[in-house]
Amino acid sequence: MGDCSSLSQNLSCGVPQVNKIEVECLIKQFHTLAVEPSDRHGIVGLDRNSFRNILHVTFGMTDDMIMDRVFRAFDKDNDSCVSVTEWVEGLSIFLRGTLEEKIKYCFDVYDLNGDGYISREEMFHMLKNSLLKQPSEEDPDEGIKDLVEITLKKMDHDHDGKLSYADFEKAVRDENLLLEAFGPCLPNLKNSMEFEMQAFKETHDL
């Protein structure tokens, strides 16, 4: 913890959404949540289960597929562990990102195989996962397929049967509600405010 100040200085320079004191609060919070170094990693960090627990308990997320994708979006170096830097940088967008940053983040979450497109199959899996099951429906898959086609008609501007980043960005800029079209991957306002009040309590007490 001795290098907390220098770390927060470096991070606050690269993360304009939060100030230096708030960065220090997030670093302190990270160290209360983080697991000890494992033999495999040798670094302190949040593993997938710890991170998913935070998403569920703190931010009210329940969709396993989306929570896994949020973990991957935070885990930039793909080492199966969210480091303190990834924690601060990820939360800054998660909580206070610009529309452009949130569009990029949501697209990365929804691009399940990382090929730069959201395909029909990916839309189907995410919508099937996030929609409530209606027991009365004879074939719910047909309804989801129809929804995928409606979504493509609305968002697929170059008509190639899949969503590129440019398609997704244009659709969301035209209609902001489409940002989380394939499942909730950002915290709602209530959860964000509660998290910030708890995490940044020290700044309010000053």
Side-chain angles (χ1 to χ4, degrees), residues 96-156:
R96 299 183 183 176
T98 62
L99 179 60
E100 187 172 341
E101 287 170 330
K102 287 183 175 179
I103 290 172
K104 174 78 172 68
Y105 160 81
C106 288
F107 184 84
D108 287 345
V109 168
Y110 298 146
D111 176 15
L112 299 181
N113 66 359
D115 68 350
Y117 294 94
I118 304 171
S119 67
R120 268 190 172 85
E121 292 76 18
E122 288 170 332
M123 287 181 216
F124 179 84
H125 286 305
M126 289 184 287
L127 290 171
K128 185 174 183 176
N129 233 36
S130 64
L131 294 173
L132 290 171
K133 311 289 186 292
Q134 301 295 334
S136 58
E137 288 186 44
E138 289 180 13
D139 186 3
D141 285 5
E142 283 306 312
I144 295 164
K145 284 176 186 171
D146 290 343
L147 191 54
V148 168
E149 294 309 316
I150 292 166
T151 305
L152 275 170
K153 194 172 285 189
K154 189 169 187 63
M155 299 178 77
D156 180 20

Side-chain angles (χ1 to χ4, degrees), residues 16-17 103 194:
Q17 301 89 338
I103 290 172
E194 285 176 358

Side-chain angles (χ1 to χ4, degrees), residues 182-200:
F182 305 112
C185 58
L186 287 162
N188 63 34
L189 186 61
K190 177 175 176 287
N191 287 334
S192 287
M193 288 178 69
E194 285 176 358
F195 178 85
E196 288 201 22
M197 282 186 70
Q198 185 63 37
F200 303 144

Side-chain angles (χ1 to χ4, degrees), residues 26-185:
L26 290 177
I27 292 170
K28 284 179 186 172
Q29 186 191 43
F30 173 86
H31 284 288
T32 66
L33 296 166
V35 294
E36 286 303 305
S38 68
D39 293 336
R40 193 156 60 91
H41 299 300
I43 54 170
V44 174
L46 293 166
D47 62 18
R48 185 185 300 270
N49 287 338
S50 304
F51 187 82
R52 279 173 52 133
N53 189 53
I54 294 165
L55 292 179
H56 178 63
V57 174
T58 307
F59 296 111
M61 293 192 178
T62 55
D63 187 323
D64 287 337
M65 183 188 293
I66 295 291
M67 286 194 288
D68 269 349
R69 293 300 304 163
V70 173
F71 175 78
R72 286 176 179 270
F74 271 67
D75 180 24
K76 294 290 186 192
D77 61 5
N78 205 26
D79 67 349
S80 300
C81 185
V82 172
S83 68
V84 65
T85 301
E86 290 167 338
W87 169 254
V88 173
E89 289 176 349
L91 278 177
S92 69
I93 293 172
F94 203 58
L95 298 167
R96 299 183 183 176
T98 62
L99 179 60
E100 187 172 341
E101 287 170 330
K102 287 183 175 179
I103 290 172
K104 174 78 172 68
Y105 160 81
C106 288
F107 184 84
D108 287 345
V109 168
Y110 298 146
D111 176 15
L112 299 181
N113 66 359
D115 68 350
Y117 294 94
I118 304 171
S119 67
R120 268 190 172 85
E121 292 76 18
E122 288 170 332
M123 287 181 216
F124 179 84
H125 286 305
M126 289 184 287
L127 290 171
K128 185 174 183 176
N129 233 36
S130 64
L131 294 173
L132 290 171
K133 311 289 186 292
Q134 301 295 334
S136 58
E137 288 186 44
E138 289 180 13
D139 186 3
D141 285 5
E142 283 306 312
I144 295 164
K145 284 176 186 171
D146 290 343
L147 191 54
V148 168
E149 294 309 316
I150 292 166
T151 305
L152 275 170
K153 194 172 285 189
K154 189 169 187 63
M155 299 178 77
D156 180 20
H157 296 288
D158 58 7
H159 308 295
D160 62 353
K162 57 190 176 183
L163 297 186
S164 64
Y165 179 74
D167 289 331
F168 186 73
E169 182 183 32
K170 178 169 176 21
V172 174
R173 287 192 185 281
D174 290 347
E175 198 170 323
N176 289 179
L177 286 174
L178 292 172
L179 181 64
E180 294 181 89
F182 305 112
C185 58

